[in-house]
Amino acid sequence: MAVPRRRHSHARTNTKRAHHAKVAVQTISCPNCKAQKASHKICPSCGQYKGRSYGKKEEAVGETA
């Protein structure tokens, strides 16, 4: 297995990490119930996606409202 001869400098390591920033999830309003949802996902409020109903999304066990 190949092993680097020398370690990377801090500047080089930080330059590689410049693209690792966290980005907020893009949200859109649901055309059915107008609630905010992630794009290309089933609406957590009404359970619809592209005009079709997939049933209301179930709550996780142990989660309090």
Side-chain angles (χ1 to χ4, degrees):
M1 187 168 132
V3 177
R5 288 189 177 191
R6 306 211 170 154
R7 60 183 266 185
H8 288 292
S9 66
H10 293 294
R12 185 177 175 123
T13 303
N14 292 335
T15 303
K16 288 176 70 173
R17 290 181 184 154
H19 305 287
H20 293 184
K22 292 184 179 181
V23 180
V25 175
Q26 295 279 331
T27 58
I28 59 170
S29 61
C30 175
N32 185 44
C33 67
K34 308 299 184 224
Q36 291 295 312
K37 70 177 195 86
S39 58
H40 305 295
K41 304 287 182 201
I42 297 172
C43 178
S45 304
C46 65
Q48 286 204 350
Y49 177 68
K50 287 192 174 181
R52 289 182 154 181
S53 180
Y54 291 96
K56 189 165 180 164
K57 193 170 181 181
E58 307 248 350
E59 294 289 328
V61 176
E63 189 175 307
T64 57

